[in-house]
Amino acid sequence: MTTENTKTTANIEKRSSAFAYAPAPESRSVVDIAPSYGLFIDGEFVEAADGKVFKTVSPSTEEVLSEIAQAGEADVDRAVKAARRAFGKWSALPGSERAKYLFRIARVIQERSRELAVLETLDNGKPIKETRDADLPLVAAHFFYYAGWADKLDHAGFGANPQPLGVAGQVIPWNFPLLMLAWKIAPALATGNTVVLKPAETTPLSALFFADICRQAGLPKGVVNILPGYGDTGAALVEHPDVNKVAFTGSTAVGKAIARQVAGTSKKVTLELGGKGANIVFDDAPIDQAVEGIVSGIFFNQGQVCCAGSRLLVQESIQDELLDSLKRRLSTLRLGDPLDKNTDIGAINSAEQLSRITTLVEQGEAEGAERWSPACELPSSGYWFAPTLFTNVTQAHTIARDEIFGPVLSVLSFRTPDEAVAKANNSQYGLSAGIWTEKGSRILAVANKLRAGVIWSNTFNKFDPTSPFGGYKESGFGREGGRHGLEAYLDV
Amino acid sequence: MSEKPKNTEKPKSAEKAEQQRLSVFKTYKLYVGGKFPRSESGRVYEVTDSKGEWLANAPLSSRKDARDAVVAARKAFGGWSGATAYNRGQVLYRVAEMLEGRRDQFVREVADSEGLSKSKAAGVVDAAIDRWVWYAGWTDKIAQVVGGGNPVAGPYFNLSTPEPTGVVTVLAPQESSFLGLVSVIAPVIATGNTVIVVASERSPLPALSLGEVLATSDVPGGVVNILSGKTAEIATPLAAHQDVNAIDLAGADDVLAKELEVAAADNLKRVVRPQAVDYFAAPGIERLTAFLETKTVWHPTGALGASGSSY
């Protein structure tokens, strides 16, 4: 095996030079980032009450992009008050009028999508290919989809005349900054709530640009408020007594803390938390398609995806063949400048996240799993991690249990469908899973047995605003997307 | 019996003897895993009617009983959730049938427990029987109402279907010891969950008798597990139990409810908070959907659209 591997690697190197592409960088001149931004409260950009600021950097270059006001408790209070004031009028608007605001927002996002894609890539580090082709179209689609619900709530299946809850406090992560904003804000506004949203400290820019989109759309003041800040800002928002609804996407640990905080209150809560998705490949699966699915499952957005297929479960009889194909494919992935249109793997979002990934990967090695990465040169500045896969992994290994949230795939094998199901379900999480087989009855039977909220068969990492998304078990509760996504913001 | 008394009229003395016949008391037991154990702790507590008259001794369950009930409920989950919705509907309807036959017993127990007149208690029992019928009809319809195909913008086909969340702990309402009890158990099992229910602390007898009905109604053992005792004592380990997926706090007061909700956060249980409910009113589907997960399954189709097909 070892000599064969060396030979394969040599072949791969030869091949990859034939695949060398000239750089194709997207221009960053389409986006104009101001040197500093305030908080967005009651339709205005304002300083933080205590004058605190923080810097947001580009993860691929460590360049400081802008200085951002950091919201404290007083600012949270101010924003919640503004949202409360706006709530009366906003919720009293006819649904058809609220719909028109949301349609306007969807259209402005489409018009400005190139600018926003570049901005998101700069602030988050993910490839422009993904922001341009995945994030932004989905962001616009979410607003468009929920716009259409605003005047049809009587027909959504929650009884006649369902009412909004009031002020929604929303805390979103850094992996899909604008998309998570859309998932949260679009259904909240469609149902007549007003919002205070806290973007992640490493990716506040697109949310602040969204504030400008609200201005262009003529959205009434106070309906949307944006408060950049750290975890303590989020905690203050969740705890604020005048918040009626808490929506959080992020880690399971923080999700549990929030569940404890809202206990005994009347606050409605939805949580979209971590995952450790199993991607199950049966021996009759089309190998090439499965390899593509595995790659998009774990290397999309550098694996910083809660529903990533981070555990590959492959049927023993095809394990060698599949791994050879997978390694060959990984060797063709291009890592580097996220603004380059040819880039597949961008930067890790922050130094902190990079160190978490590094620690877990070292633990994987220490526990006896076998680490492999393609030949891959990392840029000298910024936060980078080469695509990595682990073989010889058992279910007891930390890397098979803990969410790594990075471009790291753990490979396990199985012999029978029952064993695959048992291993897939052997997790505290239950967000996503993948099934690869040509056999329809097997897809349906296995999908039926998997304890996960989203199952992709013969595909992976597909999203659509019409489709409910959310987890079982410790991956949280509530669904976002589809008519199910309305429930979290209505008094039902 | 060959020697019939010549006088067809009963002698006065015999009538007297009948009046003085000593009735047979019932030892009320828990219902766990389809069996009727006493509490593991060997403890009982005194149950009285609304006037303070002794009715019976009920088991005073311990945390060990609660854990045993979770084991039984988990064991039953696979079979019950895997049964067809049609079959579950049949079983729920069978419960209504069995209750109808024992109507008088429950009228008496409810009247004693809740201090109601015979006619009021009869109204409660009738409503409870009808509630089983209502939920029996929901088992094979809820998936169509809350699930469905999603019109995705791409060459994919996807379906959202509801699935039971798993093992559910229910703290039965304290006041409505029978109608309230049925109103919180039936929706949980209608959708394929299994349940551990903590009966009304003051009036546990109708709940314990319900166990006898369930045992003879084709409900598989372990699907419903009934515990009696101190709500707070039993609920605390159940709210913290890592193999319980959801908890309905109907029978908890505000202080206890908050404490249990905090404990439930540890494995992110789905929580239904206590709320004012008129159990006589039409229940709607909230209690059905509260214990459902939504699973969305995607599959590619051939390419759609103007460019032609790729299948």
Side-chain angles (χ1 to χ4, degrees), chain A residues 256 260 262-265 267 273 447-448 450-453 455 457-458 462 464 467-468 471-473 476 479 484, chain B residues 146 150 152-153 156 158 160 163-165 261-262 265-270 273 293-300:
Chain A
K256 288 182 182 183
R260 286 182 198 109
V262 301
T265 69
K267 288 174 190 172
L273 309 176
N448 197 23
L450 292 173
R451 301 282 295 161
I455 316 277
S457 10
N458 293 335
K462 292 291 178 284
D464 190 277
S467 305
Y472 284 41
K473 300 198 269 186
R479 292 294 180 273
H484 295 73
Chain B
V146 303
N150 307 306
V152 295
Y156 297 93
N158 85 14
S160 289
E163 288 195 344
T165 198
E261 188 175 346
V262 170
D266 206 41
N267 70 336
L268 293 161
K269 287 181 186 68
R270 281 71 177 135
R273 294 182 180 132
E293 302 289 340
T294 296
K295 177 185 279 179
T296 302
V297 180
W298 291 66
H299 196 276

Side-chain angles (χ1 to χ4, degrees), chain A residues 359-370 390-402:
Chain A
T359 308
L360 279 163
V361 163
E362 281 165 2
Q363 194 167 347
E365 278 187 294
E367 288 176 16
E370 214 165 291
F390 274 104
T391 51
N392 207 15
V393 179
T394 76
Q395 296 181 82
H397 282 145
T398 308
I399 51 166
R401 308 196 71 81
D402 287 10

Side-chain angles (χ1 to χ4, degrees), chain B:
Chain B
M1 292 303 283
S2 57
E3 274 178 79
K4 278 185 185 171
K6 277 166 196 152
N7 190 347
T8 48
E9 239 173 76
K10 272 186 193 170
K12 277 256 158 89
S13 58
E15 211 170 70
K16 217 172 196 179
E18 210 169 72
Q19 276 169 359
Q20 284 172 349
R21 177 186 169 269
L22 206 56
S23 66
V24 178
F25 281 171
K26 180 159 102 185
T27 300
Y28 283 88
K29 296 193 196 175
L30 306 176
Y31 181 54
V32 175
K35 296 195 163 65
F36 296 94
R38 293 186 166 87
S39 168
E40 159 277 341
S41 64
R43 303 178 303 177
V44 292
Y45 72 113
E46 197 165 299
V47 179
T48 56
D49 67 14
S50 56
K51 297 185 191 89
E53 297 286 319
W54 184 85
L55 286 172
N57 293 324
L60 186 60
S61 301
S62 64
R63 57 173 54 215
K64 169 71 168 135
D65 292 317
R67 292 201 197 104
D68 289 348
V70 175
V71 171
R74 174 60 63 197
K75 201 170 156 199
F77 178 69
W80 184 241
S81 60
T84 64
Y86 177 58
N87 179 233
R88 284 200 303 271
Q90 298 273 304
V91 172
L92 263 66
Y93 187 77
R94 181 77 177 155
V95 177
E97 288 180 348
M98 293 295 104
L99 270 177
E100 190 77 47
R102 294 229 214 169
R103 189 171 170 278
D104 292 347
Q105 176 198 337
F106 281 94
V107 170
R108 194 172 60 245
E109 285 185 341
V110 169
D112 287 346
S113 298
E114 299 182 20
L116 300 177
S117 67
K118 272 266 148 49
S119 68
K120 281 226 168 106
V124 167
V125 173
D126 290 347
I129 296 171
D130 293 353
R131 191 124 307 160
W132 283 105
V133 176
W134 156 264
Y135 282 115
W138 264 120
T139 59
D140 53 4
K141 296 170 191 70
I142 191 72
Q144 288 177 318
V145 172
V146 303
N150 307 306
V152 295
Y156 297 93
F157 159 79
N158 85 14
L159 279 178
S160 289
T161 42
E163 288 195 344
T165 198
V167 172
V168 179
T169 291
V170 172
L171 310 184
Q174 297 297 344
E175 301 308 319
S176 184
S177 67
F178 190 58
L179 176 56
L181 172 85
V182 168
S183 302
V184 293
I185 300 178
V188 175
I189 64 169
T191 51
N193 297 287
T194 56
V195 62
I196 300 116
V197 60
V198 181
S200 163
E201 184 168 329
R202 207 183 67 76
S203 313
L205 303 185
L208 296 173
S209 290
L210 180 68
E212 298 158 22
V213 170
L214 296 172
T216 53
S217 301
D218 306 330
V219 180
V223 170
V224 179
N225 303 278
I226 302 173
L227 303 175
S228 61
K230 293 196 161 56
T231 300
E233 183 187 356
I234 313 169
T236 305
L238 286 170
H241 201 296
Q242 295 297 296
D243 205 27
V244 172
N245 304 94
I247 184 163
D248 181 343
L249 300 172
D253 61 35
D254 287 350
V255 176
L256 177 64
K258 179 175 177 178
E259 185 191 306
L260 298 177
E261 188 175 346
V262 170
D266 206 41
N267 70 336
L268 293 161
K269 287 181 186 68
R270 281 71 177 135
V271 175
V272 175
R273 294 182 180 132
Q275 53 211 300
V277 182
D278 172 7
Y279 289 108
F280 277 102
I285 61 169
E286 285 79 13
R287 277 204 143 80
L288 285 169
T289 56
F291 305 108
L292 289 175
E293 302 289 340
T294 296
K295 177 185 279 179
T296 302
V297 180
W298 291 66
H299 196 276
T301 61
L304 307 168
S307 57
S309 70
S310 70
Y311 55 88

